[in-house]
Amino acid sequence: RAIRENVRTIFVTLGGSACRQKQNAVLRPLTEILHRYHPLACDLQRKVDVVVGVGPFAESPDTSRIPETRCRLIIKNQPCMFYEMLNADLAISGGGQTVFELLATGTPTIALQVAGNQASNLRLLAEEKGLVLGGILEKGGWEKVFARQLLKLVNSPDIRRQLSWRGAELVDGFG
């Protein structure tokens, strides 16, 4: 898997049943951070695609409250997100089963804990350098951790390459 120097596409998924409130909680700071700090934000001709994966039982996010930025939000509700994962330069994901799919595809990932039963898997995967932790959604202060991790990965293709290689090494995708 080739890792581009500049992040052009970010895949966001918090799980098939993520509620709109959780999606919006992540999309607001994501678009603000990218608008403020992303190197391409100064170039009016370029946009960062933020692909939001929503499952069949999830509501699409309310994009009306997301700040106007140079990010283009693309809402997808598909049974298979494999190609979206492969196309993404970076993923932001809840800590459920989708994390394993992202690692198997070599997609550099920032994982957010959205449920208590995700804590041990996320901690282990982070210790093994397969992903980075973006915080615990239910706890205050997660936005600062998330912002720090997002900026680190957006600005470092080398770290994204290491995460891609290690994630695919940890999860081969063959069960």
Side-chain angles (χ1 to χ4, degrees), residues 29-91:
L30 169 65
T31 55
E32 288 171 1
I33 291 164
L34 289 176
H35 180 67
R36 190 172 299 143
Y37 299 108
H38 193 282
L40 298 180
C42 298
D43 184 346
L44 295 175
Q45 302 304 311
R46 297 188 185 171
K47 287 186 179 268
V48 175
D49 290 338
V50 178
V51 180
V52 183
V54 293
F57 304 110
E59 297 177 76
S60 292
D62 175 13
T63 57
S64 66
R65 298 185 64 199
I66 295 184
E68 186 64 33
T69 68
R70 291 184 184 89
C71 297
R72 181 174 58 177
L73 291 175
I74 302 168
I75 312 300
K76 300 245 178 164
N77 185 348
Q78 299 176 346
C80 178
M81 294 301 243
F82 176 73
Y83 295 107
E84 301 300 336
M85 292 176 184
L86 286 178
N87 186 50
D89 300 303
L90 177 63

Side-chain angles (χ1 to χ4, degrees), residues 56-164:
F57 304 110
E59 297 177 76
S60 292
D62 175 13
T63 57
S64 66
R65 298 185 64 199
I66 295 184
E68 186 64 33
T69 68
R70 291 184 184 89
C71 297
R72 181 174 58 177
L73 291 175
I74 302 168
I75 312 300
K76 300 245 178 164
N77 185 348
Q78 299 176 346
C80 178
M81 294 301 243
F82 176 73
Y83 295 107
E84 301 300 336
M85 292 176 184
L86 286 178
N87 186 50
D89 300 303
L90 177 63
I92 298 163
S93 177
Q97 293 301 310
T98 303
V99 162
F100 295 102
E101 296 172 17
L102 288 163
L103 296 181
T105 60
T107 308
T109 300
I110 300 171
L112 294 161
Q113 182 184 322
V114 297
N117 65 351
Q118 298 171 351
S120 59
N121 278 343
L122 291 180
R123 189 172 45 255
L124 177 64
L125 291 168
E127 287 171 3
E128 292 292 328
K129 309 250 187 283
L131 55 74
V132 295
L133 295 176
I136 303 170
L137 224 52
E138 303 298 322
K139 285 190 175 179
W142 69 270
E143 295 94 339
K144 289 180 183 178
V145 174
F146 174 69
R148 188 173 58 249
Q149 299 290 35
L150 177 63
L151 289 173
K152 180 171 75 174
L153 267 60
V154 163
N155 292 316
S156 178
D158 290 334
I159 294 174
R160 292 194 315 275
R161 275 187 204 93
Q162 292 168 359
L163 288 170
S164 176

